[in-house]
Amino acid sequence: MANAKTETVSIGLRAKTGRAIAVVLSGPLDSPRVLRRAELSLADPRVPATMQPYHEVLDLPWEKAKAAVRKTATKIEAVASEALAGVVRQARSDGLLVCGVGIVGAPDRNLEKIGGSHIRAHAAEGVLFRQVLEFAAAANGLPVRRFDDRSLDDTAARELHFSTAKLKTRLQEVGRTAGRPWRADEKAAAAAAWLALAAFGEK
């Protein structure tokens, strides 16, 4: 159990190709604030294929492409785990208790049904980089909630008891105190962190 002086925070992650936007959020739930934000690299600079792994195997049949990417995905998982560990270490060094992680990204899809290999590569990478963040959270011993980037606003509004319009206003207010840049990706990471704080924070 945390003592009375320990502040509970959550981490929100917006998955992107080769990177993630991270936001560390503290309560209270009705007026959260951003303590830190960062852009995390999920690619290994020594292994160029880790930036766009499915683009590296565009010419392969889909089943062979998936098998070929598996080794690369393992490298990405290791990078993601260490990147998230760095955020957690920094939070703990500041005397904060990280209660969990919220991850927003591309939902699981039936990738086999996407006809164009280039479009399918982009879609597959969207799913992959969200999945490696989930792996990273588990590797760091943190509970995680996953959110579909297409329905995040509706989910957040419902669970946090706001209208969608009010939620967007509140996220804009959170960003005003956090400072620029405060783009759609930062807002999504903050919303995911807010939902994680609601789920895993001290009641």
Side-chain angles (χ1 to χ4, degrees):
M1 293 271 307
N3 61 44
K5 295 182 180 179
T6 302
E7 186 174 6
T8 299
V9 301
S10 62
I11 299 172
L13 298 170
R14 171 57 165 114
K16 306 286 287 183
T17 299
R19 60 194 176 97
I21 305 302
V23 169
V24 179
L25 199 75
S26 70
L29 279 180
D30 59 353
S31 56
R33 59 194 179 96
V34 174
L35 299 184
R36 186 174 300 106
R37 63 188 172 183
E39 182 171 310
L40 309 181
S41 175
L42 304 180
D44 185 338
R46 300 166 299 180
V47 186
T50 57
M51 176 56 73
Q52 290 185 300
Y54 281 96
H55 280 71
E56 297 289 323
V57 293
L58 278 177
D59 295 333
L60 294 179
W62 177 239
E63 289 302 319
K64 289 186 177 180
K66 287 194 296 182
V69 165
R70 185 59 247 170
K71 185 176 180 180
T72 306
T74 300
K75 295 181 184 298
I76 300 171
E77 289 171 348
V79 174
S81 297
E82 182 52 37
L84 181 57
V87 178
V88 174
R89 281 195 299 269
Q90 182 62 58
R92 289 174 177 165
S93 72
D94 292 338
L96 304 171
L97 174 67
V98 180
C99 67
V101 179
I103 297 169
V104 56
D108 290 329
R109 300 178 62 180
N110 189 347
L111 297 166
E112 290 85 351
K113 293 192 174 181
I114 299 176
S117 61
H118 193 252
I119 295 172
R120 184 167 59 198
H122 279 291
E125 286 161 0
V127 173
L128 173 64
F129 282 103
R130 189 213 75 223
Q131 290 175 336
V132 300
L133 291 175
E134 294 173 23
F135 178 93
N140 281 278
L142 295 170
V144 64
R145 292 197 68 193
R146 181 183 82 187
F147 303 102
D148 181 340
D149 53 8
R150 297 174 299 186
S151 59
L152 174 66
D153 286 350
D154 289 341
T155 300
R158 182 178 66 253
E159 294 192 17
L160 297 171
H161 309 295
F162 294 122
S163 66
T164 302
K166 181 64 174 177
L167 173 71
K168 291 181 178 179
T169 299
R170 297 298 295 275
L171 286 171
Q172 194 63 34
E173 291 169 353
V174 169
R176 194 171 296 120
T177 60
R180 294 182 178 180
W182 192 250
R183 303 157 296 192
D185 289 334
E186 283 82 8
K187 292 174 186 175
W194 199 349
L195 289 163
L197 191 64
F200 306 126
E202 294 182 336
K203 306 300 183 183

